[in-house]
Amino acid sequence: MTVHVPIMASSRDEDRALRTLIVDDSVVVRTVIERILNADRRFSVTHKTNSAEHALGYLRDHEVDLILLDIELPGQSGLTALPAILRTNPRAKVVILSGNCEEGSAAAVEALALGASDILAKPGSGSFGEHFPQALIDRLSRLFSGEAMPVAVRPPLRADPEQAAQPLACLGIGASTGGIHALGQLFAGLAAPLGVPILLTQHLPASFTHYFVQQLGRMTPLRVKVAEQGELLAPDIVYVAPGDANLQLRRGLYARVSVVLNPQRTPTGNLPGVDPMFASMAQAYGAGAAGVVLTGMGRDGTAGARDIVAAGGWIVAQDEASSVVWGMPGSVAGEGLNCALLEPHAIMDFVARRGKNRN
């Protein structure tokens, strides 16, 4: 088997290379992955093992930055071990690298909900080909790219983070990488229904939508559904953007607000996008609109957050320490658009308190 390994230069010093643990039951796969990563100075494979139990034993004594985890392992499966792995080394990013966790599958969504940072399909041990090495490097590089760009956080635009101009009328939530796990924590912090519709855009392919809605429905007692063209919004329902359209709103007769599904990609290439969802919320609800920006790469949500704040609404962003990638929330914080930076489990309590108009 011939594997063409990309050799890439990097400004990252060798002693700052991403310490990587490979957990796979195939010695061939472990060897090939190690060769691919060690050819790039940004990565350093510090340990390889064929079982989750051995991985946990290693992690109790060693810190790593990246864990490549297979699902099918002898003894304890990768999915079963994932929560313990994250507890043992909470700062590490776990990427599921498996041939049995196809995009859009229930196992893929479950892995993301449990805290995996990303999922990448693994070719068969005898068919790695010439494209997989570069695809692996590119995927891992994007996952860590936001950490090299610290964000200067501007003071929030709102002087009083506990007071809103008017009661909350609609809550929008945007997330990307690491978002499914963060959403689980966010909804766990919802002590009582907010009494408003909740819109959700999570960057996922369309093939994930079915299982994502099922998984989200197990995280909250609220009804969770895929948003449908033309339906009227109702309180305490979570409307999820389908993977092939932006979730937007239209205010019609008698001030009724309905769903508009727009299949056009955002200027930054996102579909679905957080920016168009937030922008339409600002138009439909004005100062009654509020947004939450969770972990994710890039800047999606920043332009829409400007629209919400300009309309008199407000934005909460996830803090850096709890984010898998502090790109989206960091961009919002960098422009001072947020009224609070919080861990996901604390966000809903804040929203409930601030959404009550005390004027």
Side-chain angles (χ1 to χ4, degrees):
M1 177 181 63
T2 301
V3 177
H4 301 283
V5 178
I7 300 178
M8 301 176 64
S10 172
S11 60
R12 181 188 290 271
D13 297 329
E14 287 192 13
D15 61 352
R16 295 181 59 223
L18 295 166
R19 298 161 295 183
T20 304
L21 168 64
I22 301 173
V23 189
D24 196 288
D25 64 341
S26 167
V27 63
V28 173
V29 171
R30 295 196 303 271
T31 301
V32 170
I33 298 300
E34 179 181 33
R35 187 188 308 172
I36 292 171
L37 295 184
N38 281 344
D40 187 314
R41 289 195 293 270
R42 292 171 295 180
F43 302 91
S44 173
V45 176
T46 58
H47 192 66
K48 300 175 294 180
T49 181
N50 70 340
S51 77
E53 290 85 355
H54 291 162
L56 285 166
Y58 178 80
L59 292 171
R60 292 186 187 101
D61 299 318
H62 303 84
E63 286 191 5
V64 299
D65 305 296
L66 171 65
I67 301 169
L68 298 181
L69 178 66
D70 194 6
I71 295 294
E72 298 296 328
L73 297 169
Q76 193 175 29
S77 75
L79 278 184
T80 302
L82 182 54
I85 287 173
L86 290 170
R87 285 194 301 269
T88 305
N89 208 309
R91 295 177 62 96
K93 290 179 170 61
V94 178
V95 174
I96 302 298
L97 186 62
S98 174
N100 296 305
C101 198
E102 296 179 356
E103 182 177 293
S105 68
V109 175
E110 182 180 0
L112 293 170
L114 289 171
S117 298
D118 203 355
I119 292 172
L120 184 61
K122 177 181 67 177
S125 59
S127 59
F128 274 82
E130 59 184 42
H131 299 297
F132 176 77
Q134 189 63 59
L136 176 63
I137 291 295
D138 289 347
R139 195 73 161 258
L140 297 180
S141 299
R142 287 197 298 269
L143 185 62
F144 286 92
S145 62
E147 296 188 351
M149 297 179 291
V151 176
V153 179
R154 298 182 187 176
L157 298 180
R158 298 289 180 177
D160 182 2
E162 295 293 325
Q163 179 117 1
Q166 70 179 53
L168 179 66
C170 181
L171 179 67
I173 304 169
S176 186
T177 307
I180 296 181
H181 184 59
L183 285 165
Q185 298 175 317
L186 180 142
F187 281 109
L190 180 61
L194 296 174
V196 302
I198 299 174
L199 312 183
L200 172 58
T201 293
Q202 164 74 51
H203 291 169
L204 284 175
S207 56
F208 277 77
T209 304
H210 173 71
Y211 292 112
F212 172 54
V213 169
Q214 287 187 338
Q215 186 72 40
L216 195 60
R218 291 192 284 269
M219 298 175 180
T220 173
L222 300 177
R223 182 186 175 198
V224 181
K225 69 182 302 292
V226 179
E228 299 177 55
Q229 177 71 26
E231 69 178 315
L232 297 175
L233 295 190
D236 298 318
I237 296 179
V238 181
Y239 298 90
V240 177
D244 56 0
N246 299 309
L247 170 52
Q248 296 177 258
L249 305 176
R250 176 186 294 121
R251 180 174 286 273
L253 293 175
Y254 310 109
R256 293 180 301 183
V257 179
S258 61
V259 169
V260 176
L261 297 181
N262 181 356
Q264 184 176 359
R265 288 189 177 274
T266 67
T268 56
N270 294 304
L271 187 70
V274 182
D275 282 329
M277 181 182 74
F278 279 176
S280 69
M281 288 173 56
Q283 292 175 356
Y285 289 102
V292 173
V293 182
L294 298 177
T295 174
M297 299 181 193
R299 294 175 53 85
D300 191 22
T302 300
R306 290 192 209 107
D307 292 330
I308 287 180
V309 171
W314 43 281
I315 299 291
V316 179
Q318 183 173 350
D319 68 351
E320 183 174 11
S322 66
S323 296
V324 172
V325 179
W326 207 52
M328 288 166 51
S331 176
V332 168
E335 294 201 15
L337 297 169
N338 58 300
C339 64
L341 280 175
L342 298 169
E343 296 181 2
H345 67 82
I347 289 176
M348 281 303 202
D349 178 66
F350 179 91
V351 169
R353 287 186 286 109
R354 195 176 198 274
K356 295 177 180 178
N357 185 11
R358 292 192 291 264
N359 289 345

